[in-house]
Amino acid sequence: MRIASIPGLAAVAVLMAPARPADAQCESRWWSAGPGAGPGGEVRAMLTADVEGGPRLYIGGEFQTLGGVQARRIGSWDGAGWRQVGPGLSQIVESMVIHPYAGGERLFIGGFFDEGEVSGGPGGLVWLDPQAGGWRGVPRGSPFFWTMGLCSFGGELFASAGVMDYVWRLGESGWSVPGEGLESVVHRGLTHDDGTGPSLFVGGSMLEGCRRWDGVAWRSIGGGVQGAVYGLAVFDDGRGPALYVGGQFIRAGVFGAGGVQAANIARWDGTRWESLGAGIGGTVNALAVFDDGAGPKLYAGGRFTSAGAAPAKNLAVWDGHAWMPVAGGVDGEVRALAVFDADGPGPARARLVAGGAITAAGGEPAAGLAFYGPCGADLTCDGIADFADYLEFLNRYDSGDARADLNGDGLVDFADYLEFLNLYAAGC
Ligand SMILES: [Ca+2]
Ligand SMILES: [Ca+2]
């Protein structure tokens, strides 16, 4: 493509309001992760990390293959292809976390693994040694044969299972029970400061459904919720970052003392609990914050048929004011959500990834997982970036159409042309 051949190129520099026009791009949609992609089994855990020399999406669960490639229980996606992580694993992967260990950021996996496949000790906990390309255990093994939940906080690794004080932490002096332990298993955890200092917030089946570890003791989060918590996220709806918890409950907070009716999802601002409209009509398993190009929103996945007043199939989005379904939703339970941007700060747009017992997304077949998001160069909204989109861009560009302001700086100029070429090269 010769830039000099574009008619009217040098002449166009139109001033506009300095805001990205809302109709600059097409609606987000579901994308296949390549022909034949899909694990052929259930996805249990996902995360995005750069621990092997580039950003990758890590997927764990019950499957044996991903996109036709052997990936026993765990594999990764770099935006172009799938591969198995290390030699794979023998049994179900339940949880993953990135934790500083042995001189770097390491991928830790929780589940139930056979003795003999791990050097350094058996048990339900392994980490990936990128130099050796294989799994390692931790000294004296794991306290659990089957690890359900993993969190990292303050340089310590927290592991949880359905037995023996339910939560242990690995510090420099080995394993110990933090505080007085918990009453049941931790499913999910994240670091957040709700105004009381950085703490590890965990959700699970313990009393009050969630708890905060401040390095000394487990603290109540304003009375917690009446039920279980399976998903956590920090989201800013415009009033500042707040903790959102999703799970299976009907009320948050202490009855009569700032408690609220909240159907399976609630917001904690550090002082009080709040419901999100009419909530979710079923169990929430996972929460994630994703920006589809029109600003960050909170996505909730699980096993449900409605969100707020609207029908929503296992996936819904909250914009801070209302619930909306997501492009036809997905068939099958969503167990995990992740956001993956294959080229980091490059032109390709990030995608929301839903994983679980998924059989279809937006009505199209999907095996275990599905990718959702916009295609930056698809200006004609037909799901592919091709020459028609190039012509559409030129038309908009030449007429000074605000929709040609792809970099959102209020000008239609050569920088937008370069932006389009980058989006075009990135494809969908
Ligand atoms: Ca197109
Ligand atoms: Ca511009």
Side-chain angles (χ1 to χ4, degrees):
M1 240 171 259
R2 291 194 313 125
I3 290 167
S5 70
I6 311 246
L9 187 63
V12 183
V14 183
L15 264 174
M16 299 177 306
R20 186 177 287 261
D23 58 353
Q25 61 186 355
C26 306
E27 295 283 302
S28 289
R29 59 186 292 272
W30 293 102
W31 303 92
S32 158
E42 194 172 308
V43 170
R44 296 284 187 98
M46 295 193 295
L47 60 73
T48 299
D50 186 348
V51 293
E52 293 180 278
R56 301 190 77 90
L57 172 70
Y58 290 87
I59 297 181
E62 294 190 45
F63 47 82
Q64 296 288 339
T65 63
L66 284 166
V69 174
Q70 173 175 290
R72 295 189 311 133
R73 318 293 189 185
I74 184 160
S76 72
W77 167 256
D78 65 358
W82 295 101
R83 74 176 186 213
Q84 180 170 265
V85 177
L89 287 161
S90 62
Q91 301 288 332
I92 295 170
V93 169
E94 294 275 7
S95 53
M96 302 184 193
V97 74
I98 301 299
H99 177 67
Y101 189 78
E105 295 291 309
R106 306 302 182 199
L107 175 67
F108 277 77
I109 306 295
F112 175 76
F113 312 119
D114 284 352
E115 293 190 29
E117 72 182 306
V118 180
S119 66
L125 179 68
V126 296
W127 62 276
L128 180 68
D129 181 344
Q131 270 77 46
W135 304 109
R136 290 192 181 280
V138 295
R140 291 187 296 282
S142 160
F144 304 117
F145 282 105
W146 193 318
T147 303
M148 302 288 293
L150 286 174
C151 320
S152 176
F153 176 69
E156 295 182 322
L157 181 72
F158 289 67
S160 182
V163 292
M164 295 201 313
D165 302 302
Y166 299 101
V167 61
W168 286 65
R169 61 173 166 163
L170 178 63
E172 284 183 3
S173 56
W175 289 101
S176 62
V177 175
E180 298 182 343
L182 289 168
E183 305 83 15
S184 189
V185 65
V186 171
H187 293 296
R188 222 74 74 128
L190 56 73
T191 300
H192 174 57
D193 184 348
D194 70 354
T196 53
S199 295
L200 174 65
F201 287 76
V202 299
S205 306
M206 72 286 298
L207 291 174
E208 301 184 354
C210 51
R211 213 68 70 78
R212 177 173 68 84
W213 171 255
D214 62 4
V216 177
W218 294 103
R219 314 285 182 186
S220 175
I221 305 170
V225 301
Q226 289 183 354
V229 169
Y230 304 120
L232 298 170
V234 173
F235 174 60
D236 185 348
D237 68 357
R239 295 177 288 169
L243 179 77
Y244 289 73
V245 305
Q248 195 170 25
F249 53 85
I250 53 169
R251 166 170 281 279
V254 180
F255 187 75
V260 292
Q261 296 286 342
N264 302 310
I265 189 162
R267 174 182 183 269
W268 170 251
D269 66 2
T271 306
R272 53 190 284 272
W273 286 100
E274 204 173 78
S275 63
L276 278 63
I280 297 277
T283 301
V284 175
N285 290 327
L287 299 175
V289 176
F290 173 61
D291 184 349
D292 69 355
K297 297 184 182 69
L298 180 69
Y299 287 75
R303 191 178 65 249
F304 52 82
T305 54
S306 67
K313 216 159 46 171
N314 301 317
L315 186 67
V317 58
W318 172 255
D319 65 0
H321 304 283
W323 287 105
M324 285 157 288
V326 178
V330 300
D331 294 357
E333 181 169 1
V334 174
R335 285 179 166 270
L337 293 172
V339 174
F340 181 60
D341 191 344
D343 64 349
R349 300 289 171 88
R351 295 265 159 84
L352 178 74
V353 193
I358 293 172
T359 57
E364 296 294 318
L369 79 169
F371 292 70
Y372 172 82
C375 172
D378 177 24
L379 303 184
T380 62
C381 303
D382 61 355
I384 51 172
D386 61 10
F387 194 67
D389 299 297
Y390 181 69
L391 293 179
E392 177 68 21
F393 177 77
L394 289 189
N395 283 335
R396 294 179 184 183
Y397 188 92
D398 281 341
S399 61
D401 190 321
R403 292 175 300 169
D405 177 23
L406 294 179
N407 66 0
D409 66 352
L411 287 165
V412 173
D413 61 13
F414 189 65
D416 298 303
Y417 181 76
L418 294 180
E419 175 91 2
F420 179 80
L421 289 189
N422 282 330
L423 290 170
Y424 191 86
C428 283

